[in-house]
Amino acid sequence: MRMSRIGVAVVTGGGHGIGRALCRRLARDGTKVVVVDIDEAAASTVASDIGGTARALDVSDEQAVARLVDEVEQTEGPIDMFISNAGVGYGDGAAGAISAEGGMNPIDDRWDACWRINVMAHVYAARAVVPRMLQRGGGHLVNTASAAGLLSQIGDSAYSATKHAAVGFAESLAIDYGEAGIVVSVVCPQAVATRMIGIEDDSESLEGGFRGNDVDGIMRPEAVADIVIDEALAGRFLILTHPEVTTYVQRKASDHNRWIRGMQRFRQKLSS
Ligand SMILES: NC(=O)c1ccc[n+]([C@@H]2O[C@H](COP(=O)([O-])OP(=O)(O)OC[C@H]3O[C@@H](n4cnc5c(N)ncnc54)[C@H](O)[C@@H]3O)[C@@H](O)[C@H]2O)c1
C-alpha cells in the first residue's frame, strides 16, 4: 500500500533534531502533526511553530504511549503515520573507540535506556497503533534506527546492538503485517547534524562541536527529513539517507570477516 496523503502523524522525539525536521516537513505537506517529546518545552515550541499539538511523555512508558494513541485518535482523528524517532546514544565517538570502558559500555543504566528507548518504544507504539490501523485497512509506521543498526557504531556497543534490534523489529512488522496494509519503513542514517553528535539545533556549522566518529557526509536534519517522508510515502522499507551506506552494507554482506578487519583498521585510525 502506498499513501499519497498523511492526515494525522505522530512524531516522537519531535522536539529536536531529525524529529523536529520531520514535524516541519509534514506540516508543510498539510498534515496534522502531534509533536511528542520528553522535553516538554521543545515539543511545545515546535508545535506552536508549525500549528501542531504537543505531548510530553516518555516513549518507553507503555501506558503513556497507549494513552497518547487513544487521545490523539479521539481529538485529531485516525493516526495515518506513527514515526518512532526518539532515540538515545551514549558513545563518546572516537574517544569511546579507544577506551576499553567506552567500547563495552559498563553502565547498565545506559544499556537499559538504549533498550527501552531505541527498541521497546517501537514495540509499544506498534502494539498501540497497529490494531487500530488494521481495523481501518492500513497505516504507516516509520521507525528511526541508524546505519549503526546495519553496520556498527564504533565505541558504542549498546547503541549498535539496540539499533540492530530496531531494524530486526521493523523487519518482523513488515513481514507480519505488510499484506494487511501496514506499511513499515526503517530509517538508517549515518551522521546527521543534531545534538546527538554534539551539534545544537539551528547551528550553522556542521563541524562545530562534532565529537563523533570521523565519518563522511554529515547531513542536515532537513535534508534527511525530506528523504524520509518522500521514501516512506513511496512505500520503501529500508530508507538509507546517506548513499554511501548502501555500499558499506553490500561490502559487509559480501564478506563479513573482511568487513570486521576493515572496521578494526578504521578504529585504529580513529585512535591514533
Ligand atoms: N544524529 C545522528 O547522527 C543520527 C544518526 C543515525 C540515527 N539517528 C537517530 O535519529 C533519531 C533522532 O535523533 P537526533 O539525531 O535527532 O537526536 P536529538 O538528540 O536531536 O533528538 C532526539 C529527541 O528524542 C527525544 N527523546 C529522548 N528520549 C526520549 C524519551 N524517552 N521519550 C520521548 N522523547 C525522547 C529528545 O528529547 C530529543 O528531542 C534517534 O533515534 C537517533 O538514534 C541519529
Side-chain angles (χ1 to χ4, degrees):
M1 184 184 126
R2 281 161 182 255
M3 297 185 77
S4 53
R5 189 181 163 275
I6 310 162
V8 176
V10 173
V11 182
T12 75
H16 295 279
I18 298 170
R20 185 177 73 152
L22 288 166
C23 291
R24 287 177 170 168
R25 158 65 198 261
L26 287 164
R28 277 201 307 278
D29 289 353
T31 298
K32 277 201 250 179
V33 182
V34 181
V35 186
V36 175
D37 209 287
I38 201 162
D39 181 341
E40 187 169 6
S44 298
T45 303
V46 174
S48 75
D49 281 355
I50 64 168
T53 47
R55 302 283 167 131
L57 60 87
D58 178 348
V59 291
S60 69
D61 175 345
E62 182 166 20
Q63 288 181 356
V65 172
R67 268 197 310 275
L68 165 80
V69 168
D70 211 26
E71 286 167 15
V72 169
E73 296 230 333
Q74 279 181 36
T75 54
E76 313 290 332
I79 298 168
D80 297 307
M81 183 178 275
F82 195 109
I83 307 187
S84 290
N85 165 80
V88 289
Y90 301 98
D92 196 20
I98 52 168
S99 94
E101 285 194 345
M104 207 111 60
N105 205 334
I107 303 170
D108 278 354
D109 283 355
R110 292 183 173 180
W111 272 96
D112 186 48
C114 283
W115 280 114
R116 286 187 296 101
I117 299 162
N118 296 346
V119 186
M120 293 314 294
H122 297 192
V123 178
Y124 300 151
R127 282 182 187 158
V129 84
V130 167
R132 293 165 185 263
M133 289 177 170
L134 288 174
Q135 264 186 356
R136 42 185 186 255
H140 205 141
L141 302 178
V142 179
N143 292 351
T144 307
S146 168
L150 302 168
L151 302 163
S152 193
Q153 177 68 38
I154 293 176
D156 195 343
S157 49
Y159 189 76
S160 300
T162 56
K163 291 296 187 178
H164 273 74
V167 172
F169 178 63
E171 287 171 350
S172 289
L173 284 176
I175 293 164
D176 289 347
Y177 298 107
E179 286 177 358
I182 307 296
V183 183
V184 181
S185 300
V186 66
V187 184
C188 293
Q190 204 159 247
V192 185
T194 71
R195 299 184 320 160
M196 184 167 272
I197 64 165
I199 298 174
E200 283 306 312
D201 289 341
D202 296 324
S203 164
E204 284 303 311
S205 161
L206 281 180
E207 280 79 30
F210 180 57
R211 296 172 65 233
N213 291 336
D214 180 18
V215 288
D216 41 350
I218 301 171
M219 287 180 70
R220 291 204 178 275
E222 295 74 20
V224 168
D226 281 339
I227 294 170
V228 170
I229 299 301
D230 289 345
E231 299 220 345
L233 286 173
R236 188 181 292 279
F237 172 72
L238 181 60
I239 301 180
L240 297 177
T241 52
H242 296 58
E244 58 272 27
V245 173
T246 308
T247 310
Y248 300 156
V249 170
Q250 284 166 350
R251 284 185 191 149
K252 179 177 176 180
S254 70
D255 191 339
H256 213 130
N257 293 308
R258 186 162 183 248
W259 177 80
I260 290 286
R261 287 196 298 276
M263 290 297 278
Q264 288 167 341
R265 281 196 298 276
F266 183 38
R267 176 184 177 280
Q268 205 60 44
K269 195 176 123 194
L270 294 171
S271 322
S272 56

